[in-house]
Amino acid sequence: MGSKRRSFSTSSSIADQNIDKKPKGVIGNNNPISDKTLLKDFKDDPGKIEAMTVQQLRTALRSAGVPAKGSKRDLVSALQCYLAKEIDGEGSFLADKQDPSNYDESISTRVEAGSIEDQVQDVSTISKVSRVQRSRRTLNQMQIRGETVEVDTKIVTIEQKQSVKTGRASGRKPSQTKRRVSSDVDSKDVSAEYGVTLTVNQSEPWTIFAHKKPQKGWIAYNPRIMRPPPHTGNPKFVKVLSWNVNGLRALLKFGGFSALQLAERENFDVLCLQETKLQEKDVESIKQSLIEGYENSFWTCSNSKLGYSGTSIISRIKPLSVRYGLGKSDHDSEGRVVTAEFDSFYLLSVYVPNSGDGLRRLTYRITEWDPALSNYIKELEKSKPVILTGDLNCAHEEIDIYDPAGNKRSAGFTIEERQSFDTNFLSRGFVDTFRKQHPGVVGYSYWGYRHGARKTNKGWRLDYFLVSEAIADDVHDSYILPDVMGSDHCPIGLILKV
């Protein structure tokens, strides 16, 4: 990945507060929340609530364990909702003070026409998220357009007859509205015509739909249900994996990583690595530890800066030829390109330069590197199709990044880089295989280490398989393996009919 990306942190925990002082005025010296007569009086005469001051409203809400933030209108609405719930015998919120990091927000939001003209379109939402015991997060009931979503920790049933355009909840400041109903649901079907039963597994955070600017029809990537069935019959296929390992030696020491298990599970033919961070002296020892059956390996390391960059191709298929770099000394000192020629295609493992902090390498990236790589692969394409894979350090479209608005001037998502990606690769006949297969799917391949971005699926899609248009229709599957840990990137895969 290289340069640090803008981190994402949206805290959703709200701490309960024990308020010792009593509210004054309309409330008197007793706690109205525990007085059933006063409860009914408030319900029968809403004007009494309206007459309360902001401080009185906040004190009453806090004494009931209900978050007391927002404008007076928010507070009145929250108290009315709470009182209605108490009188109807629907249970109460937890009022005991607990560790705020271990339970969820308690939200009651009424979206009214006229109050959300600039914030929410075509949405009428009443969302209730109950607090639960420590280390448990249970969604009790949400209503989307008046229809119910029942949740029991792991299972979500969605009855949805019209697509919901998410937006900010009415009456709250934008900064206070951090959660959207859709962001916590593992979407299984784009269709909005019928109900679908879905599984939300906290051990699979990549199934969380996380995006700050979602569009209608977008859903979260879930390889368990979105990958095609295994290929059958006589056609021959080749399987290629690509992975920015962010330091190969560190990865091999990582307790949860087993190269053998990965090879056995994925049964890949070729593995392309980026950002190995090896020096020339390390290569031989690494070669000696290669998995049996993958004796063909080709490595290039950075000479200008030791322990930096570096790419490789490891294969059980012996290539016809191998090249290193782009053939230009100006670009080849950092070990960023390995090319292997096979019978029916060229395969490139590429680690594109990051534009860096302060975008100091942006000009070099878009005026020199990208055009040089583009011209190189177009030259190769004259003899046979090309597969270009690796960390291309560009989230091409808004769907490829969790927070597009907040990263417009971040390396990897500047308009200059995105236009260069389009001009030098896509417009010259190379196909983004994942996007071709999954046009409306939000799938990331990179999550920054800061703020636990991977746990909340706030990532970027920076890793690609680009192929010549001539073989784009021969792609059986282009996929992401978000469950593989050990790096801030995860592997991606391609299965191609040859």
Side-chain angles (χ1 to χ4, degrees):
M1 180 64 189
S3 175
K4 295 179 181 177
R5 306 286 178 191
R6 178 184 292 252
S7 58
F8 314 112
S9 176
T10 55
S11 174
S12 61
S13 296
I14 299 178
D16 282 346
Q17 301 181 32
N18 290 333
I19 306 297
D20 295 327
K21 57 185 180 181
K22 308 292 184 183
K24 301 178 181 179
V26 177
I27 296 181
N29 293 325
N30 298 317
N31 179 3
I33 303 302
S34 61
D35 189 320
K36 292 295 182 182
T37 302
L38 287 176
L39 289 178
K40 193 159 191 321
D41 286 344
F42 278 138
K43 185 177 182 183
D44 293 339
D45 186 2
K48 291 184 178 181
I49 298 177
E50 297 283 354
M52 294 170 66
T53 66
V54 170
Q55 182 59 41
Q56 290 167 348
L57 288 165
R58 285 178 175 163
T59 304
L61 288 169
R62 286 168 179 163
S63 68
V66 181
K69 293 185 178 182
S71 64
K72 181 175 180 179
R73 181 176 181 180
D74 298 328
L75 302 175
V76 169
S77 178
L79 184 55
Q80 288 172 339
C81 290
Y82 175 81
L83 294 175
K85 183 171 182 176
E86 281 293 302
I87 293 170
D88 292 340
E90 295 179 3
S92 61
F93 294 96
L94 296 177
D96 294 334
K97 187 173 182 179
Q98 302 179 25
D99 183 349
S101 66
N102 288 320
Y103 52 78
D104 215 339
E105 288 181 306
S106 173
I107 304 173
S108 289
T109 305
R110 297 191 181 277
V111 181
E112 301 173 357
S115 66
I116 52 170
E117 294 178 359
D118 299 328
Q119 299 176 18
V120 183
Q121 298 178 3
D122 301 333
V123 177
S124 179
T125 304
I126 299 178
S127 175
K128 296 179 181 178
V129 182
S130 68
R131 299 185 180 186
V132 294
Q133 294 181 353
R134 185 167 305 199
S135 300
R136 303 275 298 181
R137 301 167 71 91
T138 302
L139 219 59
N140 281 337
Q141 189 179 58
M142 292 188 295
Q143 291 182 340
I144 304 175
R145 285 200 174 273
E147 299 180 5
T148 304
V149 179
E150 296 292 341
V151 184
D152 182 13
T153 303
K154 297 283 178 108
I155 303 299
V156 181
T157 301
I158 298 180
E159 295 291 341
Q160 192 176 33
K161 293 185 179 178
Q162 186 170 358
S163 296
V164 177
K165 295 181 181 179
T166 57
R168 300 168 186 167
S170 114
R172 291 195 173 198
K173 295 179 181 179
S175 62
Q176 294 172 339
T177 308
K178 297 293 186 182
R179 291 199 156 191
R180 295 178 174 85
V181 172
S182 64
S183 66
D184 292 327
V185 177
D186 171 15
S187 301
K188 184 177 180 180
D189 199 313
V190 174
S191 174
E193 300 298 327
Y194 47 82
V196 182
T197 299
L198 308 175
T199 300
V200 175
N201 191 339
Q202 292 181 357
S203 66
E204 297 181 345
W206 52 88
T207 61
I208 298 171
F209 183 82
H211 202 282
K212 276 198 168 183
K213 192 179 177 182
Q215 302 297 313
K216 180 179 178 180
W218 286 4
I219 56 174
Y221 180 65
N222 187 342
R224 284 190 295 106
I225 59 177
M226 292 183 178
R227 292 190 60 183
H231 51 81
T232 58
N234 296 324
K236 183 180 179 182
F237 291 84
V238 64
K239 187 173 191 178
V240 184
L241 291 192
S242 178
W243 193 5
N244 178 323
V245 293
N246 191 22
L248 184 57
R249 286 175 297 179
L251 176 66
L252 293 175
K253 295 177 183 177
F254 178 64
F257 173 75
S258 169
L260 180 59
Q261 288 179 348
L262 181 63
E264 289 176 345
R265 189 186 89 173
E266 295 302 318
N267 192 29
F268 52 79
D269 297 299
V270 187
L271 174 64
C272 298
L273 301 179
Q274 302 87 41
E275 205 171 358
T276 60
K277 297 183 179 179
L278 296 180
Q279 298 181 38
E280 294 287 353
K281 64 182 180 63
D282 303 319
V283 172
E284 285 306 316
S285 61
I286 294 292
K287 282 186 175 182
Q288 298 303 316
S289 62
L290 289 177
I291 302 168
E292 185 178 353
Y294 294 90
E295 286 80 14
N296 305 289
S297 68
F298 310 93
W299 308 77
T300 181
C301 305
S302 172
N303 295 319
S304 61
K305 184 178 179 181
L306 299 181
Y308 173 73
S309 188
T311 53
S312 72
I313 292 178
I314 303 168
S315 177
R316 62 183 173 196
I317 305 170
K318 187 175 181 178
L320 302 178
S321 65
V322 178
R323 310 181 191 184
Y324 301 96
L326 299 177
K328 295 186 177 182
S329 58
D330 291 345
H331 307 307
D332 293 343
S333 64
E334 295 179 351
R336 293 186 176 274
V337 181
V338 179
T339 304
E341 179 187 7
F342 295 94
D343 289 338
S344 57
F345 59 85
Y346 286 102
L347 174 65
L348 286 77
S349 178
V350 177
Y351 180 39
V352 171
N354 189 290
S355 292
D357 294 333
L359 302 177
R360 65 183 185 279
R361 299 190 80 183
L362 177 61
T363 300
Y364 166 71
R365 161 80 181 271
I366 64 174
T367 63
E368 298 183 47
W369 171 270
D370 284 356
L373 176 60
S374 177
N375 291 335
Y376 174 71
I377 58 179
K378 289 304 289 184
E379 190 66 27
L380 294 176
E381 199 178 37
K382 291 179 180 179
S383 58
K384 59 182 66 175
V386 172
I387 301 172
L388 186 155
T389 187
D391 178 359
L392 304 190
N393 260 317
C394 179
H396 177 231
E397 298 175 323
E398 289 194 346
I399 194 174
D400 298 316
I401 183 172
Y402 163 71
D403 183 12
N407 286 281
K408 288 183 178 180
R409 296 309 295 169
S410 295
F413 194 65
T414 63
I415 189 63
E416 295 92 335
E417 290 165 306
R418 296 163 62 198
Q419 288 176 346
S420 177
F421 187 92
D422 203 32
T423 300
N424 288 294
F425 305 112
L426 303 187
S427 295
R428 298 194 73 179
F430 286 88
V431 177
D432 178 354
T433 56
F434 181 85
R435 188 56 63 216
K436 179 177 185 292
Q437 183 175 335
H438 303 289
V441 173
V442 176
Y444 304 130
S445 64
Y446 165 83
W447 303 264
Y449 285 130
R450 281 184 163 184
H451 305 295
R454 194 160 190 165
K455 293 180 180 179
T456 51
N457 199 30
K458 296 172 182 177
W460 305 51
R461 187 170 74 97
L462 300 174
D463 304 86
Y464 297 79
F465 275 98
L466 304 183
V467 303
S468 297
E469 201 167 24
I471 58 173
D473 290 337
D474 294 327
V475 173
H476 175 73
D477 192 12
S478 183
Y479 57 98
I480 300 173
L481 296 173
D483 63 311
V484 179
M485 311 298 285
S487 170
D488 49 2
H489 292 250
C490 73
I492 59 173
L494 183 79
I495 300 177
L496 179 74
K497 178 182 175 181
V498 293

